[in-house]
Amino acid sequence: MRDIFDAIQTSAKRIKDAIDVKDIGYSQQENSSGETQLELDIKCDMIIEEEFSKVASIHTIASEEKQHAELLHEDGKYFIAYDPLDGSSLVDVNLSVGSIFGIYENDFGTKNMVAACYVVYGPRVEMVFAQNKAKLYLLQAGDFEFVKEIRLTEKGKLMAPGGTQQNWEKYHKEMIDGFFAEGYRLRYSGGMVPDLHQILLKGGGLFSYPATSDKPEGKLRRLFEVFPFAFIYKIAGGEAINGSDDLMTLGHGHIHDTSPCFFGSKYEVKRVKEVYAKNA
Ligand code: F6P
Ligand code: MN
């Protein structure tokens, strides 16, 4: 696992340099989820593939930017699913973006997940790596330094409600309105990594990306986005559900499958469960 941790750190430093250029280049291609790929997306994907190729313990990788999983080392035991540059359409407006990694033993699948990690490229580059604990690291003078362990409180103050509001279910809208009526404050940048990072570091709240009339299976991808954050939130003392079930009990069919998702502290997620049990 140490060599994977090191490879992620090296990738993160190289990705930071790739972001810090004038021309991030729109390509003509679309990824498997139908989003326009930036040359930057492809470049970040290549950086991670290059670094992971050097790690003999990695068996197979799957990337949000690739159609199929790829075998790296027949004798390796780890399977890693990653989103090389989540929120990449926010780079040109200089908002924070991130990389997300889910690490599995022997095969992909929530039961096999052994660690998860994300990197935030913001005013500072930070990394959260979760195995038995969720630990925060800061990139300083070329090295990632341990900062602290992250723990969520029971109840937070922040609300990050994703999805097109006109396509929300009525009960979902009433639930979100209810949280705001209780004093929650809106924090939504449109980048999953910084939005979830903010809730984790500011003690709690709720990030939601529900099923909507136009996206009945939600938007966010199970392997590349949803499962890694579910793992991290649960290790940090929070909850992660799809409305009714723990996200870490879900399967996946295709590697690019999506799921509705709710991540937060215990108080808010309990409310989501109650509302969805009554209505969905
Ligand atoms: O990768 C998908 C993503 O960009 C996430 O980073 C983010 O949380 C979400 O989409 C935002 O979606 P929307 O623009 O629909 O709110
Ligand atoms: Mn993404």
Side-chain angles (χ1 to χ4, degrees), residues 182-233:
E182 224 178 275
Y184 282 80
R185 281 172 294 136
L186 176 67
R187 291 291 183 272
Y188 192 78
S189 73
M192 183 183 194
V193 176
D195 287 340
L196 280 164
H197 187 58
Q198 180 164 205
I199 289 174
L200 267 179
L201 287 179
K202 299 284 188 193
L206 181 72
F207 175 99
S208 49
Y209 209 108
T212 52
S213 52
D214 58 332
K215 292 189 172 86
E217 283 305 315
K219 174 184 186 188
L220 298 174
R221 283 139 285 221
R222 293 181 186 218
L223 278 181
F224 308 118
E225 298 166 326
V226 174
F227 294 158
F229 271 109
F231 186 91
I232 292 166
Y233 263 64

Side-chain angles (χ1 to χ4, degrees), residues 35 64 83 85-87 100 220-221 225:
E35 294 168 339
E64 188 177 299
D83 183 352
L85 199 61
D86 180 69
I100 310 169
L220 298 174
R221 283 139 285 221
E225 298 166 326

Side-chain angles (χ1 to χ4, degrees), residues 6 23 33 37 45-46 50 77 80 94 102 104 126-127 133 147 157 168 192 221 224 241 245 253 265:
D6 290 345
D23 183 12
S33 303
Q37 275 178 322
D45 186 31
M46 279 172 51
E50 254 174 53
K77 67 170 176 177
I80 306 187
N94 205 15
Y104 305 82
E126 291 181 325
M127 177 176 72
K133 293 174 174 177
V147 179
K157 295 185 177 134
W168 285 356
M192 183 183 194
R221 283 139 285 221
F224 308 118
I241 63 168
D245 299 319
S265 1

